[in-house]
């Protein structure tokens, strides 16, 4: 597809369960970003990749959160032992340069 | 990283021009100013980006004064479909991470 694709669109997890969220960026885009957006709030930065290198992970809220982009294309955000406070929309964005970033529609995670 | 401040909400009517101002007092020399629009249940969408003076595209204009400590997004003749949250970002060319604030919720009424 032409845009950033995220899957699944919706995920319900039981507290304590591990989840993996996938992001397919636009082909050729070097930069990839992950954000967490709570209801009524702006997107909160989680982590940033340039190709396969994770250059900034300062926004990851705890060591339960882990992101990877092993081949510089598809990225996975993994959350271990999910907690209720992890419930949010997780957004992925990609860009070719530091100009326009293209966002996916997000994955809505609900932890019950 | 430069912090941005913008109004929490604004109301307007169809056909009016809307101006949303963002303050970024600590903007750095290599920072650009970028605005995004977000509709419910969608990811943010790029609107416009500028460095100084004025930038115009098919959907908006961006006015940046000489000191670059603020910027104003101008939406001409808004319609109901422009109801959304608008975010102002200040981003360095090589920093990578895009930092969003709380945004301005624009409500356009008929």
């Amino acid at each position: 597809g032409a845009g950033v694709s995220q899957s699944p669109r919706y995920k319900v997890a039981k507290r304590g369960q591990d989840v993996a969220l996938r992001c397919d960026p636009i082909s050729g885009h070097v930069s990839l970003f992950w954000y967490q957006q709570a209801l009524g709030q702006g997107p909160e930065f989680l982590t940033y990749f340039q190709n396969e290198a994770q250059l900034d992970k300062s926004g990851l809220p705890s060591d339960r959160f882990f992101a990877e982009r092993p081949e510089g294309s598809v990225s996975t955000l993994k959350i271990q032992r999910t907690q209720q406070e992890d419930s949010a929309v997780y957004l992925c964005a990609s860009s070719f340069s530091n100009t326009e970033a293209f966002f996916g529609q997000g994955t809505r995670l609900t932890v019950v | 990283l430069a912090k941005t401040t913008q109004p929490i909400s604004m109301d307007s009517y169809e056909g009016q021009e809307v101006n949303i101002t963002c303050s970024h007092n600590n903007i750095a020399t290599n920072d650009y100013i970028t605005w995004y629009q977000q509709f419910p249940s969608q990811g943010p969408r790029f609107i416009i980006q500028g460095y100084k003076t004025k930038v115009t595209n098919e959907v908006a204009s961006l006015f940046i004064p000489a000191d670059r400590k603020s910027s104003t997004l101008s939406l001409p003749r808004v319609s109901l479909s422009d109801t959304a949250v608008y975010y102002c970002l200040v981003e360095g060319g090589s920093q990578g991470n895009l930092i969003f604030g709380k945004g301005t919720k624009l409500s356009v009424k008929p």
Side-chain angles (χ1 to χ4, degrees):
Chain A
V4 177
S5 178
Q6 292 188 245
S7 61
R9 284 294 313 277
Y10 304 92
K11 176 69 178 178
V12 178
K14 292 184 178 180
R15 192 172 60 176
Q17 185 179 356
D18 297 350
V19 299
L21 312 180
R22 178 186 170 105
C23 173
D24 282 86
I26 293 173
S27 179
H29 276 194
V30 171
S31 300
L32 186 144
F33 310 83
W34 282 100
Y35 291 84
Q36 179 191 61
Q37 187 170 27
L39 189 64
Q41 302 295 314
E44 293 282 344
F45 171 80
L46 294 178
T47 187
Y48 158 67
F49 291 86
Q50 188 167 332
N51 295 308
E52 68 277 5
Q54 190 175 19
L55 298 187
D56 188 342
K57 54 181 180 179
S58 62
L60 296 176
S62 76
D63 58 7
R64 296 186 296 105
F65 286 71
F66 172 77
E68 61 183 4
R69 193 186 185 199
E71 298 179 357
S73 178
V74 171
S75 178
T76 304
L77 177 66
K78 298 179 179 178
I79 309 173
Q80 297 177 322
R81 304 182 302 281
T82 52
Q83 304 293 317
Q84 280 195 315
E85 61 262 29
D86 300 334
S87 295
V89 174
Y90 290 85
L91 294 164
C92 175
S94 71
S95 71
F96 179 71
S97 63
N98 288 319
T99 53
E100 179 176 355
F102 294 83
F103 282 79
Q105 288 196 295
T107 294
R108 182 178 297 278
L109 172 65
T110 303
V111 181
V112 297
Chain B
L1 292 172
K3 181 182 176 181
T4 60
T5 303
Q6 48 185 126
I8 296 295
S9 63
M10 293 183 70
D11 291 333
S12 182
Y13 291 93
E14 281 191 292
Q16 288 187 331
E17 178 184 79
V18 171
N19 296 306
I20 307 174
T21 296
C22 177
S23 297
H24 28 79
N25 291 316
N26 297 324
I27 190 168
T29 303
N30 63 343
D31 285 341
Y32 284 78
I33 300 155
T34 310
W35 286 79
Y36 284 81
Q37 174 193 55
Q38 187 176 27
F39 297 113
S41 301
Q42 293 188 25
R45 184 175 71 107
F46 174 92
I47 301 176
I48 197 166
Q49 184 182 70
Y51 183 80
K52 62 180 180 181
T53 62
K54 176 184 175 183
V55 180
T56 297
N57 61 22
E58 63 276 9
V59 297
S61 294
L62 179 58
F63 298 92
I64 305 169
D67 65 6
R68 305 201 325 123
K69 293 184 183 300
S70 67
S71 59
T72 298
L73 175 72
S74 181
L75 304 173
R77 299 178 298 282
V78 294
S79 64
L80 296 177
S81 63
D82 291 317
T83 294
V85 179
Y86 292 83
Y87 296 96
C88 164
L89 282 74
V90 171
E91 50 177 313
S94 60
Q95 280 183 315
N97 47 354
L98 306 175
I99 304 299
F100 286 77
K102 297 186 185 301
T104 297
K105 185 174 183 179
L106 173 65
S107 297
V108 180
K109 303 174 183 178

